[in-house]
Amino acid sequence: MKERNNSGVGRVNRREFIKSAGAGLVATQVGAAPGAKTAAAATASSARFVPGGGLTRISPNLYWLRDTCNVYVLKDGDRALLIDFGSGHVLKLLGQIGVTRVDAILHTHHHRDQCQGDARAVAQHIPIHVPAHERYLFEDAENFWRNRRVFHLYNVRNDFFTLTRNVPVAGVLRDYETFRWGPYEFLIYPTPGHTLGSISLVGQVDGKKVAFSGDLIHSPGKVVNLYELQYQYGSTDGVDFAIFSLSKLRELGPELVCPSHGEPMPGPATGMTELMGKLRGWYEAYSPGASLTVENKPFAVTPHLICAHQTTSTFYALISDSGKALFLDYGSASGNFFTCFNAAAATVKDRMRFVEHTIPELKARYGLKSVDIVMPSHMHDDHLNGFPYLVRHYGPKVWCYENMVDVLQNPRGYNLGCILAEPIKVDRSFRHGERFKWEEFEFTVCHSPGHTEYQMAMFADIDGARVAFTGDAFFPSGSGSSVVLRHNVIFRNWLESDSHVKSIRTILEHQPTLVAPGHGKPFLSNKEDMEDLKRRLDDQQEYFRNVIADRDCNFGLNPSWVRFYPYQLLAKAGSSPALELRVRNYRSKPMQLEAALVLPVGWKAAPEILRMTIAPRADAADRFTVTIPEDWDRGKPRVPFAADVMADGQYLGEIAEGVVDLQFEA
Ligand SMILES: [Zn+2]
Ligand SMILES: [Zn+2]
Ligand SMILES: [Zn+2]
């Protein structure tokens, strides 16, 4: 550019440059279009460019505008549905094709070039629908920016391409659900890669199966850039996602792919395959030996027991002679699909995203006809993050060990490691030692604490093997004769000094011949290895007692012995919700406990002081009522609180806390 010459000629040069690039610079007072007055008001503070070209007709009811991204216009009479929005310039062109009203905008992902003009749509009351997984990057963009880390940057995901202002969201596009508009139906298909939350919209348009694919593919064999495909420092994580998404989208057999950059691609399969090949080539050259999610395959441990061990946690499908399946765990498609949502998606409102896996192979190769029951070995998200999807799309019943019921159904209640945010309704629960029959198999369920308090061990005779499903009670390392069973300690998971020992004792008592762990492949049970682990766990118990100052050492192991329920309270401004204080007394004598709530200014608690007597080695609970001011500041939607605590005359201070997420009337 010729910017160096700035003696008043610079401005002309710049304008000429813009013209030559096919665009014109205009202020936003573009009075001609209906509603443009308010649109101008919303963006009046700055100048904007406009795209040079006009609408191109792809098929009778489908049009395309090259803006900051491709904007697709789907027509139904005088109404339109827009896929992505770019600068919003499209609104001024719709009259040319007889459109008088835009019913909705659907976004494929949150990048600014897709939605930078959304304020114009809001000013015209056009509803904006966004991918569920990226909702917060639209309506809570400003909060994202307040929290996005820049120093010590290892989460290199390009969420920096997020809007600078909040945009109100009218609807969310949930993975695998259908969006209906007029005579059209679009499958909302998860295609992570270019962003973690990207979707494609797949449906029939003018007699063709069309996929609006965002920036998954630019043109045959090409992506718009590679930097969006790296979330974690130095990794190829997004490349793995893109290959998986391309493969799944190709299976749907679109006849036309409409990308956000580049041009609509008829007969896209070859170009998608070409791109997958190139991405795979780079992935394999850069990370030799690493496996791709798309290649994960289950295998038969015994004729009826199928195992998928390359998924984030190992999951088991026990398939009966009738073709019904009991799933034990069902987590993410791969370790990569799990860690990206922990390591690269790091804001308060980020959530796990689930994509379907393994079920097509179970149907094709192992006779799966229906998913009848799903059971979690424990309540960790890496083991049950596919449950909500299974329940919605395959309709299984959810069964679990009794102490997991409330954690699954009310995840906001707890502050424990690895909780899935989405509630899961439980249909049946089991007590310690309870037996049950399902199809031709019999099971025994036992409590198996340690890794987490909320874990079971389950035993069953399957094809002549006595199988122990052990969740994360231990992890085999090494192979052959040199297997060492390792365990882990996570204090936030509710740990007591004898938890692990209880667990290994129960497993040993049941004398399994085959162990089916929550990570890694099943292995033949070896009593000596387990005895060896038990010795180390006995030592651990002794170590805890030695190192912790309080002689009831569980006070030094469990950060939640005094805790609030729920931990994350959801409440309306102006309401008076209850907050329960729960206490476990690890002493061998009764405990006298007093607690006072520490609240924001203007909030009230009753009673002022809660007094509880907790029996020896027992639990107790009592409640406060909190009154939240009606006119609470909308700019403070998440508010922490604490309990100031005295126990047996000792002032412990504010040792318990929680948060309130405020809901406001619209
Ligand atoms: Zn993009
Ligand atoms: Zn696990
Ligand atoms: Zn776990």
Side-chain angles (χ1 to χ4, degrees):
M1 272 172 70
K2 306 161 196 164
E3 299 271 79
R4 233 175 276 162
N5 181 356
N6 56 1
S7 59
V9 192
R11 211 174 125 208
V12 176
N13 285 344
R14 185 156 169 251
R15 187 171 286 170
E16 274 169 3
F17 167 78
I18 291 157
K19 236 187 235 165
S20 68
L25 175 64
V26 293
T28 41
Q29 297 103 308
V30 282
K37 240 179 169 177
T38 35
T43 55
S45 60
S46 50
R48 289 284 189 273
F49 303 101
V50 297
L55 287 167
T56 304
R57 194 175 202 178
I58 300 170
S59 63
N61 293 293
L62 182 60
Y63 296 79
W64 158 43
L65 174 70
R66 253 187 222 275
D67 199 314
T68 52
C69 70
N70 291 334
V71 177
Y72 294 100
V73 182
L74 188 59
K75 243 188 99 176
D76 179 26
D78 61 353
R79 297 176 162 208
L81 178 76
L82 306 180
I83 314 246
D84 288 316
F85 196 57
S87 70
H89 180 66
V90 70
L91 293 181
K92 283 193 231 153
L93 307 178
L94 292 173
Q96 297 166 10
I97 57 167
V99 168
T100 57
R101 183 174 148 179
V102 175
D103 282 346
I105 295 167
L106 312 186
H107 282 305
T108 57
H109 62 292
H110 75 278
H111 282 160
R112 283 195 298 273
D113 57 341
Q114 311 291 123
C115 53
Q116 63 181 60
D118 276 11
R120 287 173 155 187
V122 172
Q124 296 198 19
H125 307 290
I126 300 169
I128 296 169
H129 299 249
V130 307
H133 198 78
E134 295 183 346
R135 176 182 190 158
Y136 75 98
L137 293 170
F138 289 87
E139 67 183 11
D140 213 15
E142 292 162 32
N143 185 46
F144 160 80
W145 281 110
R146 276 194 292 278
N147 292 290
R148 182 57 164 103
R149 187 159 166 171
V150 179
F151 285 130
H152 310 294
L153 190 64
Y154 296 93
N155 167 6
V156 294
R157 168 190 179 192
N158 192 28
D159 48 12
F160 297 106
F161 206 7
T162 295
L163 287 168
T164 55
R165 292 189 197 165
N166 292 347
V167 163
V169 167
V172 287
L173 303 167
R174 293 183 204 286
D175 293 345
Y176 301 106
E177 292 187 358
T178 303
F179 181 88
R180 291 186 178 82
W181 176 75
Y184 300 96
E185 277 189 7
F186 291 102
L187 171 66
I188 300 156
Y189 207 60
T191 45
H194 179 74
T195 70
L196 285 170
S198 282
I199 57 165
S200 292
L201 295 155
V202 186
Q204 291 288 328
V205 176
D206 296 327
K208 271 206 179 75
K209 191 171 202 179
V210 179
F212 299 94
S213 55
D215 283 325
L216 180 63
I217 180 169
H218 172 277
S219 46
K222 304 277 185 188
V223 282
V224 65
N225 67 50
L226 270 180
Y227 58 77
E228 304 283 0
L229 299 182
Q230 182 170 71
Y231 320 135
Q232 297 167 86
Y233 203 81
S235 78
T236 43
D237 41 14
V239 178
D240 178 57
F241 278 24
I243 294 169
F244 184 87
S245 296
L246 283 162
S247 160
K248 293 287 170 185
L249 188 62
R250 192 184 53 180
E251 278 172 24
L252 293 182
E255 296 163 271
L256 177 71
V257 159
C258 293
S260 282
H261 295 89
E263 295 181 4
M265 275 173 274
T270 317
M272 294 167 86
T273 307
E274 192 192 334
L275 177 55
M276 286 165 64
K278 285 186 195 172
L279 291 175
R280 176 190 286 258
W282 186 59
Y283 183 90
E284 284 167 356
Y286 182 82
S287 344
S291 68
L292 286 162
T293 301
V294 79
E295 280 164 2
N296 289 354
K297 293 281 176 285
F299 70 96
V301 183
T302 71
H304 292 88
L305 183 63
I306 316 304
C307 164
H309 73 291
Q310 295 151 308
T311 43
T312 177
S313 61
T314 299
F315 94 90
Y316 300 92
L318 182 60
I319 302 178
S320 74
D321 288 331
S322 71
K324 287 184 182 173
L326 182 151
F327 277 18
L328 187 86
D329 293 340
Y330 185 58
S332 301
S334 65
N336 187 36
F337 263 85
F338 182 72
T339 49
C340 284
F341 293 100
N342 292 332
T347 74
V348 174
K349 292 188 178 179
D350 275 318
R351 295 286 180 266
M352 275 292 156
R353 189 181 195 198
F354 176 80
V355 293
E356 192 198 85
H357 59 85
T358 319
I359 290 179
E361 288 89 344
L362 292 174
K363 283 183 177 164
R365 291 174 55 202
Y366 300 104
L368 176 105
K369 289 191 185 127
S370 66
V371 186
D372 192 35
I373 306 294
V374 287
M375 295 183 78
S377 62
H378 59 300
M379 41 57 81
H380 283 166
D381 49 8
D382 56 328
H383 295 254
L384 48 71
N385 138 38
F387 279 30
Y389 171 81
L390 283 178
V391 169
R392 272 197 295 276
H393 298 276
Y394 291 86
K397 297 268 180 280
V398 179
W399 294 357
C400 69
Y401 181 66
E402 61 180 359
N403 78 352
M404 295 178 215
V405 174
D406 195 56
V407 185
L408 265 56
Q409 296 193 150
N410 298 306
R412 297 184 70 93
Y414 302 83
N415 182 7
L416 295 164
C418 324
I419 292 186
L420 189 73
E422 191 168 354
I424 300 166
K425 194 186 153 290
V426 175
D427 298 289
R428 181 178 172 186
S429 66
F430 301 93
R431 293 182 310 279
H432 176 65
E434 189 170 341
R435 288 163 188 236
F436 71 93
K437 211 172 170 289
W438 171 80
E439 296 287 285
E440 62 264 38
F441 305 99
E442 277 187 55
F443 302 83
T444 306
V445 167
C446 293
H447 185 212
S448 185
H451 172 69
T452 164
E453 175 71 8
Y454 306 89
Q455 176 167 262
M456 70 167 183
M458 188 163 79
F459 306 93
D461 290 312
I462 299 168
D463 300 323
R466 178 87 181 131
V467 184
F469 297 97
T470 51
D472 288 355
F474 45 67
F475 310 90
S477 76
S479 61
S481 57
S482 61
V483 169
V484 178
L485 298 181
R486 301 196 176 282
H487 70 291
N488 62 12
V489 168
I490 300 102
F491 298 101
R492 180 55 68 185
N493 288 356
W494 192 289
L495 176 72
E496 295 173 357
S497 63
D498 59 351
S499 299
H500 286 92
V501 175
K502 279 185 192 162
S503 173
I504 191 71
R505 212 182 279 146
T506 304
I507 295 166
L508 269 165
E509 275 167 15
H510 282 80
Q511 303 184 333
T513 54
L514 186 71
V515 177
H519 295 269
K521 288 184 181 179
F523 57 95
L524 292 176
S525 173
N526 181 338
K527 201 170 167 219
E528 275 170 34
D529 294 338
M530 281 197 251
E531 295 281 8
D532 176 58
L533 174 61
K534 187 175 169 299
R535 269 190 296 279
R536 281 179 280 134
L537 294 172
D538 285 333
D539 290 349
Q540 169 180 291
Q541 194 175 351
E542 205 41 47
Y543 184 78
F544 288 155
R545 282 198 204 107
N546 277 333
V547 78
I548 291 168
D550 196 308
R551 71 193 151 87
D552 295 312
C553 73
N554 285 328
F555 287 112
L557 294 173
N558 182 359
S560 304
W561 70 271
V562 182
R563 65 201 176 279
F564 280 107
Y565 180 91
Y567 189 86
Q568 301 184 78
L569 175 70
L570 200 57
K572 289 193 170 71
S575 71
S576 298
L579 258 184
E580 196 173 290
L581 192 73
R582 295 183 172 181
V583 185
R584 176 163 290 189
N585 175 14
Y586 288 119
R587 303 247 179 263
S588 49
K589 56 183 196 325
M591 175 188 278
Q592 306 296 328
L593 186 128
E594 291 173 281
L597 262 186
V598 182
L599 293 168
V601 175
W603 295 38
K604 288 196 176 66
E608 253 178 28
I609 293 175
L610 199 61
R611 293 190 172 81
M612 297 163 71
T613 302
I614 307 112
R617 308 209 184 282
D619 295 295
D622 205 343
R623 51 179 48 192
F624 290 100
T625 302
V626 178
T627 302
I628 305 169
E630 184 103 49
D631 59 349
W632 182 250
D633 183 355
R634 282 170 184 257
K636 295 176 181 169
R638 189 168 167 93
V639 177
F641 58 87
D644 201 28
V645 173
M646 292 273 286
D648 291 333
Q650 194 187 350
Y651 189 14
L652 301 177
E654 298 178 17
I655 59 167
E657 78 295 322
V659 291
V660 182
D661 285 314
L662 274 305
Q663 299 171 301
F664 299 96
E665 299 299 337

